[in-house]
Amino acid sequence: GDADAQNALGIFYTSGLGSNDLAEGVRWLQQAAQQGVLVAASNLGWCYEEGRAVQGSEEEALSYYRMAADGDCRPAQLHYA
């Protein structure tokens, strides 16, 4: 699928703008991140940091932030710093 659209759907669901189906949002973000959308990886880091639809894990959050930050994703760099 279209990775940017998958990221947008992930944001839609995890931000409460949609049906507030957090698990569905994380699923879309994971698909986008697997296709190289760095901001989706950063968004996943946030989900793990906040424990939104996933069990909170600092290690997982840092892993996703690192992946995105290494690709020059500015929001991830701010979280990873």
Side-chain angles (χ1 to χ4, degrees):
D2 183 297
D4 290 322
Q6 291 168 338
N7 180 58
L9 279 170
I11 292 169
F12 184 74
Y13 284 114
T14 58
S15 68
L17 296 173
S19 66
N20 206 29
D21 186 341
L22 300 177
E24 183 71 4
V26 167
R27 187 178 73 78
W28 285 114
L29 291 173
Q30 288 170 331
Q31 288 183 25
Q34 288 172 355
Q35 294 183 64
V37 177
L38 299 175
V39 72
S42 180
N43 291 332
L44 277 170
W46 176 80
C47 288
Y48 277 98
E49 182 179 3
E50 298 294 321
R52 292 185 63 86
V54 292
Q55 183 170 351
S57 168
E58 186 175 327
E59 184 177 317
E60 284 292 320
L62 287 175
S63 174
Y64 280 111
Y65 284 142
R66 183 180 311 115
M67 177 192 315
D70 287 349
D72 208 26
C73 177
R74 184 75 176 137
Q77 290 172 339
L78 295 172
H79 282 282
Y80 188 64

